Amino acid sequence: MHAVVLGAGIIGCATAWRLAQAGVRVTVLERTLPGAEASSAAAGILGAQTENDGPGPLLDLSLASRALWPRFAHDLQASSGIDVQHLAHGVLEVEWQHPEGGDLLPARAAWMQALGLRAELLDAAQVHAMGARVHRLMKRWLWLPDDGQVDPRLVMQALVTALARLHVDIRTNAAVKGLELAQGRVTGVRLAGEVVNADAVVVATGAWTDLLGDLPARRTTVQPLHGQVVLLDCGAPPCLPTLMLRAGLDQAPLVYLVPRADGRVLLGATSDDQGFTKSATVRGLMDLLSQARAMLPELADARVLDHWSGLRPRSGDGLPLLGAHREVEGLIFATGHHRNGILLTPISADVTVNAVLGLRQRVDLTPFLP
Ligand SMILES: Cc1cc2nc3c(=O)[nH]c(=O)nc-3n(C[C@H](O)[C@H](O)[C@H](O)COP(=O)(O)OP(=O)(O)OC[C@H]3O[C@@H](n4cnc5c(N)ncnc54)[C@H](O)[C@@H]3O)c2cc1C
């Protein structure tokens, strides 16, 4: 069995690693360099609860993947020698005073508690006792102790190291143009002037998926959604858990702050539809910095260490495309993870390996099938 994985982001590399561990011969084809795109731009929040608005298949998949992360991080360290800084520090959601503010956090706490998930509304004294700052305009707090974080750049380094140790061929500067198809199955992929034969092809091309040639009809589209983040040195970090700041009735967070173990803090993230243009914008950076500063005035003195941007692979219906294509044998999708590809990496790799090997799935993939 020779499996060819298209794309060396976190999804493609994690899948290739698990496939190689299962004894499959794997080739990874990457247009540029491993981790050059969304996977190195991400903040790394494992926000199974904070990223969901209620019960449904995405919540179930998110919780299943969050539960796999400790083992995944442990195995990856054993295979690569790299600690990916998996921290189950929790996420503190903060509702900001807003003229149109409603009962967003109590409502969120209620649906989570009804499902038996840990979620606790805190008062200012409890938040202060946790080591987080309390500001005049902060109205409510929701503590989600089971969400966490990893450092996605360390995960990418670890995956590339683990793949090298398993002698997996990662071909860089290898842009795939399209698929080779014969009698209802995929037989390989086409690069400029070359065909690579395969028994199975895994499409893990992130935001660029819909640009691949010869793909059969799929459940939904995958489009790029631009996001940018800023890396700050605050001296002492302003918070211990990840802070997710929300305002008004809007479910989407305004900004979030992710403290790393070494004291640096990641401030994210913008969301802009600007096609495949990846560069950061002045407006995006100013919005991010001014919103964060308005909420946490002490950030004004933080040092800006770096800033970057990436393209989230946003699917048309908000769910990733996972599993074998119903019409083309040997063609498996693992793409469209939008805001949660880091969180969803362990489960995506598992179900993709099962799809390649024709094994029974532990989760119901029906809503995610391509
Ligand atoms: C600013 C920002 C913050 C984020 N924060 C979080 C977060 O906190 N938590 C979380 O879970 N997720 C987060 N995400 C989302 C997460 O980064 C993505 O969902 C995830 O990285 C997707 O991984 P991927 O491997 O599918 O895509 P990518 O990392 O984009 O990899 C796809 C790869 O495919 C390659 N490729 C494309 N076309 C071809 C081709 N034709 N031939 C060969 N190779 C090809 C590309 O070059 C690329 O390397 C964030 C994203 C952004 C942009």
Side-chain angles (χ1 to χ4, degrees), residues 40-69:
S40 296
I45 303 170
L46 306 181
Q49 288 173 240
T50 200
E51 280 288 332
N52 275 287
D53 296 339
L58 188 58
L59 175 69
D60 295 344
L61 194 75
S62 302
L63 293 171
S65 201
R66 187 182 70 184
L68 291 175
W69 253 108

PDB file of all heavy atoms in Angstrom, residues 40-69:
ATOM      1  N   SER A  40       1.280  27.008  11.014  1.00  0.00           N
ATOM      2  CA  SER A  40       2.269  27.751  11.798  1.00  0.00           C
ATOM      3  C   SER A  40       1.754  29.125  12.202  1.00  0.00           C
ATOM      4  O   SER A  40       2.402  29.820  12.982  1.00  0.00           O
ATOM      5  CB  SER A  40       3.568  27.917  11.012  1.00  0.00           C
ATOM      6  OG  SER A  40       4.129  26.656  10.779  1.00  0.00           O
ATOM      7  N   ALA A  41       0.610  29.521  11.663  1.00  0.00           N
ATOM      8  CA  ALA A  41       0.050  30.831  12.016  1.00  0.00           C
ATOM      9  C   ALA A  41      -0.870  30.728  13.226  1.00  0.00           C
ATOM     10  O   ALA A  41      -1.177  31.729  13.869  1.00  0.00           O
ATOM     11  CB  ALA A  41      -0.746  31.384  10.825  1.00  0.00           C
ATOM     12  N   ALA A  42      -1.299  29.506  13.548  1.00  0.00           N
ATOM     13  CA  ALA A  42      -2.352  29.330  14.558  1.00  0.00           C
ATOM     14  C   ALA A  42      -1.870  29.652  15.968  1.00  0.00           C
ATOM     15  O   ALA A  42      -0.690  29.546  16.285  1.00  0.00           O
ATOM     16  CB  ALA A  42      -2.856  27.893  14.504  1.00  0.00           C
ATOM     17  N   ALA A  43      -2.840  30.020  16.818  1.00  0.00           N
ATOM     18  CA  ALA A  43      -2.535  30.290  18.221  1.00  0.00           C
ATOM     19  C   ALA A  43      -2.381  28.987  19.003  1.00  0.00           C
ATOM     20  O   ALA A  43      -1.686  28.943  20.005  1.00  0.00           O
ATOM     21  CB  ALA A  43      -3.653  31.129  18.829  1.00  0.00           C
ATOM     22  N   GLY A  44      -3.086  27.955  18.571  1.00  0.00           N
ATOM     23  CA  GLY A  44      -2.954  26.657  19.244  1.00  0.00           C
ATOM     24  C   GLY A  44      -3.927  26.424  20.379  1.00  0.00           C
ATOM     25  O   GLY A  44      -3.727  25.519  21.193  1.00  0.00           O
ATOM     26  N   ILE A  45      -5.001  27.197  20.420  1.00  0.00           N
ATOM     27  CA  ILE A  45      -6.006  26.971  21.467  1.00  0.00           C
ATOM     28  C   ILE A  45      -6.725  25.651  21.175  1.00  0.00           C
ATOM     29  O   ILE A  45      -7.139  25.409  20.039  1.00  0.00           O
ATOM     30  CB  ILE A  45      -7.039  28.121  21.500  1.00  0.00           C
ATOM     31  CG1 ILE A  45      -6.343  29.463  21.719  1.00  0.00           C
ATOM     32  CG2 ILE A  45      -8.105  27.884  22.563  1.00  0.00           C
ATOM     33  CD1 ILE A  45      -7.247  30.660  21.522  1.00  0.00           C
ATOM     34  N   LEU A  46      -6.846  24.820  22.181  1.00  0.00           N
ATOM     35  CA  LEU A  46      -7.622  23.579  22.054  1.00  0.00           C
ATOM     36  C   LEU A  46      -8.990  23.883  22.667  1.00  0.00           C
ATOM     37  O   LEU A  46      -9.302  23.494  23.792  1.00  0.00           O
ATOM     38  CB  LEU A  46      -6.912  22.430  22.755  1.00  0.00           C
ATOM     39  CG  LEU A  46      -5.450  22.204  22.323  1.00  0.00           C
ATOM     40  CD1 LEU A  46      -4.841  21.021  23.068  1.00  0.00           C
ATOM     41  CD2 LEU A  46      -5.337  21.991  20.804  1.00  0.00           C
ATOM     42  N   GLY A  47      -9.790  24.618  21.896  1.00  0.00           N
ATOM     43  CA  GLY A  47     -11.018  25.212  22.425  1.00  0.00           C
ATOM     44  C   GLY A  47     -12.262  24.414  22.110  1.00  0.00           C
ATOM     45  O   GLY A  47     -13.201  24.929  21.509  1.00  0.00           O
ATOM     46  N   ALA A  48     -12.289  23.157  22.558  1.00  0.00           N
ATOM     47  CA  ALA A  48     -13.460  22.311  22.240  1.00  0.00           C
ATOM     48  C   ALA A  48     -14.745  22.967  22.734  1.00  0.00           C
ATOM     49  O   ALA A  48     -15.759  22.950  22.039  1.00  0.00           O
ATOM     50  CB  ALA A  48     -13.289  20.936  22.862  1.00  0.00           C
ATOM     51  N   GLN A  49     -14.710  23.563  23.914  1.00  0.00           N
ATOM     52  CA  GLN A  49     -15.914  24.215  24.426  1.00  0.00           C
ATOM     53  C   GLN A  49     -15.996  25.666  23.966  1.00  0.00           C
ATOM     54  O   GLN A  49     -17.038  26.125  23.526  1.00  0.00           O
ATOM     55  CB  GLN A  49     -15.953  24.128  25.950  1.00  0.00           C
ATOM     56  CG  GLN A  49     -16.262  22.716  26.417  1.00  0.00           C
ATOM     57  CD  GLN A  49     -16.143  22.553  27.924  1.00  0.00           C
ATOM     58  OE1 GLN A  49     -15.353  21.748  28.386  1.00  0.00           O
ATOM     59  NE2 GLN A  49     -16.914  23.297  28.709  1.00  0.00           N
ATOM     60  N   THR A  50     -14.887  26.376  24.068  1.00  0.00           N
ATOM     61  CA  THR A  50     -14.962  27.812  23.782  1.00  0.00           C
ATOM     62  C   THR A  50     -15.237  28.094  22.310  1.00  0.00           C
ATOM     63  O   THR A  50     -15.794  29.127  21.978  1.00  0.00           O
ATOM     64  CB  THR A  50     -13.675  28.522  24.268  1.00  0.00           C
ATOM     65  OG1 THR A  50     -13.958  29.903  24.408  1.00  0.00           O
ATOM     66  CG2 THR A  50     -12.512  28.335  23.324  1.00  0.00           C
ATOM     67  N   GLU A  51     -14.914  27.152  21.429  1.00  0.00           N
ATOM     68  CA  GLU A  51     -15.112  27.382  19.996  1.00  0.00           C
ATOM     69  C   GLU A  51     -16.466  26.890  19.496  1.00  0.00           C
ATOM     70  O   GLU A  51     -16.746  26.983  18.315  1.00  0.00           O
ATOM     71  CB  GLU A  51     -13.998  26.691  19.199  1.00  0.00           C
ATOM     72  CG  GLU A  51     -12.698  27.476  19.177  1.00  0.00           C
ATOM     73  CD  GLU A  51     -12.777  28.723  18.304  1.00  0.00           C
ATOM     74  OE1 GLU A  51     -13.555  28.742  17.342  1.00  0.00           O
ATOM     75  OE2 GLU A  51     -12.063  29.693  18.605  1.00  0.00           O
ATOM     76  N   ASN A  52     -17.279  26.325  20.379  1.00  0.00           N
ATOM     77  CA  ASN A  52     -18.570  25.806  19.927  1.00  0.00           C
ATOM     78  C   ASN A  52     -19.719  26.597  20.531  1.00  0.00           C
ATOM     79  O   ASN A  52     -19.627  27.090  21.651  1.00  0.00           O
ATOM     80  CB  ASN A  52     -18.682  24.313  20.261  1.00  0.00           C
ATOM     81  CG  ASN A  52     -18.036  23.450  19.184  1.00  0.00           C
ATOM     82  OD1 ASN A  52     -18.570  23.301  18.087  1.00  0.00           O
ATOM     83  ND2 ASN A  52     -16.854  22.916  19.481  1.00  0.00           N
ATOM     84  N   ASP A  53     -20.812  26.673  19.779  1.00  0.00           N
ATOM     85  CA  ASP A  53     -21.970  27.454  20.206  1.00  0.00           C
ATOM     86  C   ASP A  53     -23.100  26.600  20.758  1.00  0.00           C
ATOM     87  O   ASP A  53     -24.156  27.116  21.091  1.00  0.00           O
ATOM     88  CB  ASP A  53     -22.531  28.265  19.023  1.00  0.00           C
ATOM     89  CG  ASP A  53     -21.520  29.277  18.533  1.00  0.00           C
ATOM     90  OD1 ASP A  53     -20.618  29.612  19.315  1.00  0.00           O
ATOM     91  OD2 ASP A  53     -21.632  29.705  17.376  1.00  0.00           O
ATOM     92  N   GLY A  54     -22.915  25.290  20.783  1.00  0.00           N
ATOM     93  CA  GLY A  54     -23.972  24.426  21.292  1.00  0.00           C
ATOM     94  C   GLY A  54     -23.737  22.999  20.845  1.00  0.00           C
ATOM     95  O   GLY A  54     -22.753  22.701  20.165  1.00  0.00           O
ATOM     96  N   PRO A  55     -24.636  22.099  21.236  1.00  0.00           N
ATOM     97  CA  PRO A  55     -24.469  20.693  20.867  1.00  0.00           C
ATOM     98  C   PRO A  55     -24.518  20.484  19.365  1.00  0.00           C
ATOM     99  O   PRO A  55     -25.129  21.289  18.652  1.00  0.00           O
ATOM    100  CB  PRO A  55     -25.672  19.987  21.530  1.00  0.00           C
ATOM    101  CG  PRO A  55     -26.355  20.987  22.368  1.00  0.00           C
ATOM    102  CD  PRO A  55     -25.860  22.343  22.011  1.00  0.00           C
ATOM    103  N   GLY A  56     -23.885  19.415  18.900  1.00  0.00           N
ATOM    104  CA  GLY A  56     -23.898  19.105  17.469  1.00  0.00           C
ATOM    105  C   GLY A  56     -22.679  18.278  17.125  1.00  0.00           C
ATOM    106  O   GLY A  56     -21.824  18.019  17.979  1.00  0.00           O
ATOM    107  N   PRO A  57     -22.580  17.863  15.858  1.00  0.00           N
ATOM    108  CA  PRO A  57     -21.463  16.980  15.473  1.00  0.00           C
ATOM    109  C   PRO A  57     -20.091  17.623  15.647  1.00  0.00           C
ATOM    110  O   PRO A  57     -19.123  16.936  15.988  1.00  0.00           O
ATOM    111  CB  PRO A  57     -21.744  16.675  13.998  1.00  0.00           C
ATOM    112  CG  PRO A  57     -22.832  17.584  13.551  1.00  0.00           C
ATOM    113  CD  PRO A  57     -23.541  18.084  14.769  1.00  0.00           C
ATOM    114  N   LEU A  58     -20.000  18.955  15.432  1.00  0.00           N
ATOM    115  CA  LEU A  58     -18.682  19.592  15.581  1.00  0.00           C
ATOM    116  C   LEU A  58     -18.241  19.594  17.039  1.00  0.00           C
ATOM    117  O   LEU A  58     -17.061  19.383  17.343  1.00  0.00           O
ATOM    118  CB  LEU A  58     -18.698  21.017  15.009  1.00  0.00           C
ATOM    119  CG  LEU A  58     -17.337  21.697  14.936  1.00  0.00           C
ATOM    120  CD1 LEU A  58     -16.346  20.888  14.092  1.00  0.00           C
ATOM    121  CD2 LEU A  58     -17.458  23.111  14.376  1.00  0.00           C
ATOM    122  N   LEU A  59     -19.182  19.824  17.955  1.00  0.00           N
ATOM    123  CA  LEU A  59     -18.839  19.762  19.385  1.00  0.00           C
ATOM    124  C   LEU A  59     -18.370  18.354  19.738  1.00  0.00           C
ATOM    125  O   LEU A  59     -17.349  18.188  20.413  1.00  0.00           O
ATOM    126  CB  LEU A  59     -20.039  20.163  20.257  1.00  0.00           C
ATOM    127  CG  LEU A  59     -19.782  20.012  21.762  1.00  0.00           C
ATOM    128  CD1 LEU A  59     -18.769  21.048  22.254  1.00  0.00           C
ATOM    129  CD2 LEU A  59     -21.072  20.120  22.563  1.00  0.00           C
ATOM    130  N   ASP A  60     -19.101  17.341  19.276  1.00  0.00           N
ATOM    131  CA  ASP A  60     -18.720  15.955  19.598  1.00  0.00           C
ATOM    132  C   ASP A  60     -17.311  15.642  19.083  1.00  0.00           C
ATOM    133  O   ASP A  60     -16.495  15.047  19.789  1.00  0.00           O
ATOM    134  CB  ASP A  60     -19.713  14.958  18.971  1.00  0.00           C
ATOM    135  CG  ASP A  60     -21.105  15.099  19.574  1.00  0.00           C
ATOM    136  OD1 ASP A  60     -21.230  15.718  20.647  1.00  0.00           O
ATOM    137  OD2 ASP A  60     -22.062  14.613  18.950  1.00  0.00           O
ATOM    138  N   LEU A  61     -17.036  16.054  17.837  1.00  0.00           N
ATOM    139  CA  LEU A  61     -15.718  15.794  17.254  1.00  0.00           C
ATOM    140  C   LEU A  61     -14.637  16.554  18.028  1.00  0.00           C
ATOM    141  O   LEU A  61     -13.551  16.037  18.289  1.00  0.00           O
ATOM    142  CB  LEU A  61     -15.721  16.234  15.781  1.00  0.00           C
ATOM    143  CG  LEU A  61     -14.565  15.734  14.932  1.00  0.00           C
ATOM    144  CD1 LEU A  61     -14.747  14.247  14.593  1.00  0.00           C
ATOM    145  CD2 LEU A  61     -14.443  16.530  13.624  1.00  0.00           C
ATOM    146  N   SER A  62     -14.955  17.805  18.404  1.00  0.00           N
ATOM    147  CA  SER A  62     -14.000  18.649  19.145  1.00  0.00           C
ATOM    148  C   SER A  62     -13.663  18.031  20.491  1.00  0.00           C
ATOM    149  O   SER A  62     -12.496  17.986  20.902  1.00  0.00           O
ATOM    150  CB  SER A  62     -14.590  20.049  19.369  1.00  0.00           C
ATOM    151  OG  SER A  62     -14.923  20.659  18.151  1.00  0.00           O
ATOM    152  N   LEU A  63     -14.690  17.559  21.204  1.00  0.00           N
ATOM    153  CA  LEU A  63     -14.449  16.961  22.525  1.00  0.00           C
ATOM    154  C   LEU A  63     -13.638  15.676  22.387  1.00  0.00           C
ATOM    155  O   LEU A  63     -12.721  15.421  23.182  1.00  0.00           O
ATOM    156  CB  LEU A  63     -15.786  16.669  23.223  1.00  0.00           C
ATOM    157  CG  LEU A  63     -16.610  17.905  23.626  1.00  0.00           C
ATOM    158  CD1 LEU A  63     -17.995  17.484  24.106  1.00  0.00           C
ATOM    159  CD2 LEU A  63     -15.904  18.717  24.715  1.00  0.00           C
ATOM    160  N   ALA A  64     -13.961  14.885  21.355  1.00  0.00           N
ATOM    161  CA  ALA A  64     -13.220  13.631  21.146  1.00  0.00           C
ATOM    162  C   ALA A  64     -11.759  13.936  20.855  1.00  0.00           C
ATOM    163  O   ALA A  64     -10.850  13.258  21.350  1.00  0.00           O
ATOM    164  CB  ALA A  64     -13.856  12.845  20.002  1.00  0.00           C
ATOM    165  N   SER A  65     -11.506  14.976  20.067  1.00  0.00           N
ATOM    166  CA  SER A  65     -10.121  15.302  19.720  1.00  0.00           C
ATOM    167  C   SER A  65      -9.371  15.883  20.914  1.00  0.00           C
ATOM    168  O   SER A  65      -8.203  15.557  21.141  1.00  0.00           O
ATOM    169  CB  SER A  65     -10.094  16.277  18.538  1.00  0.00           C
ATOM    170  OG  SER A  65      -8.839  16.206  17.902  1.00  0.00           O
ATOM    171  N   ARG A  66     -10.046  16.743  21.673  1.00  0.00           N
ATOM    172  CA  ARG A  66      -9.402  17.298  22.878  1.00  0.00           C
ATOM    173  C   ARG A  66      -8.976  16.170  23.811  1.00  0.00           C
ATOM    174  O   ARG A  66      -7.893  16.215  24.403  1.00  0.00           O
ATOM    175  CB  ARG A  66     -10.367  18.258  23.582  1.00  0.00           C
ATOM    176  CG  ARG A  66      -9.739  18.998  24.742  1.00  0.00           C
ATOM    177  CD  ARG A  66     -10.744  19.900  25.448  1.00  0.00           C
ATOM    178  NE  ARG A  66     -11.750  19.140  26.189  1.00  0.00           N
ATOM    179  CZ  ARG A  66     -12.781  19.683  26.822  1.00  0.00           C
ATOM    180  NH1 ARG A  66     -12.953  20.995  26.797  1.00  0.00           N
ATOM    181  NH2 ARG A  66     -13.660  18.941  27.475  1.00  0.00           N
ATOM    182  N   ALA A  67      -9.825  15.146  23.924  1.00  0.00           N
ATOM    183  CA  ALA A  67      -9.495  14.022  24.807  1.00  0.00           C
ATOM    184  C   ALA A  67      -8.292  13.236  24.289  1.00  0.00           C
ATOM    185  O   ALA A  67      -7.571  12.600  25.070  1.00  0.00           O
ATOM    186  CB  ALA A  67     -10.708  13.101  24.939  1.00  0.00           C
ATOM    187  N   LEU A  68      -8.052  13.272  22.968  1.00  0.00           N
ATOM    188  CA  LEU A  68      -6.911  12.535  22.405  1.00  0.00           C
ATOM    189  C   LEU A  68      -5.596  13.304  22.527  1.00  0.00           C
ATOM    190  O   LEU A  68      -4.522  12.729  22.350  1.00  0.00           O
ATOM    191  CB  LEU A  68      -7.165  12.237  20.919  1.00  0.00           C
ATOM    192  CG  LEU A  68      -8.272  11.238  20.576  1.00  0.00           C
ATOM    193  CD1 LEU A  68      -8.467  11.156  19.058  1.00  0.00           C
ATOM    194  CD2 LEU A  68      -7.930   9.861  21.136  1.00  0.00           C
ATOM    195  N   TRP A  69      -5.672  14.627  22.760  1.00  0.00           N
ATOM    196  CA  TRP A  69      -4.454  15.448  22.708  1.00  0.00           C
ATOM    197  C   TRP A  69      -3.344  15.021  23.697  1.00  0.00           C
ATOM    198  O   TRP A  69      -2.163  14.960  23.314  1.00  0.00           O
ATOM    199  CB  TRP A  69      -4.762  16.949  22.854  1.00  0.00           C
ATOM    200  CG  TRP A  69      -4.603  17.653  21.537  1.00  0.00           C
ATOM    201  CD1 TRP A  69      -5.583  18.149  20.730  1.00  0.00           C
ATOM    202  CD2 TRP A  69      -3.362  17.891  20.841  1.00  0.00           C
ATOM    203  NE1 TRP A  69      -5.047  18.664  19.585  1.00  0.00           N
ATOM    204  CE2 TRP A  69      -3.689  18.529  19.625  1.00  0.00           C
ATOM    205  CE3 TRP A  69      -2.027  17.618  21.108  1.00  0.00           C
ATOM    206  CZ2 TRP A  69      -2.714  18.905  18.703  1.00  0.00           C
ATOM    207  CZ3 TRP A  69      -1.059  17.989  20.185  1.00  0.00           C
ATOM    208  CH2 TRP A  69      -1.411  18.626  19.009  1.00  0.00           C
TER     209      TRP A  69
END
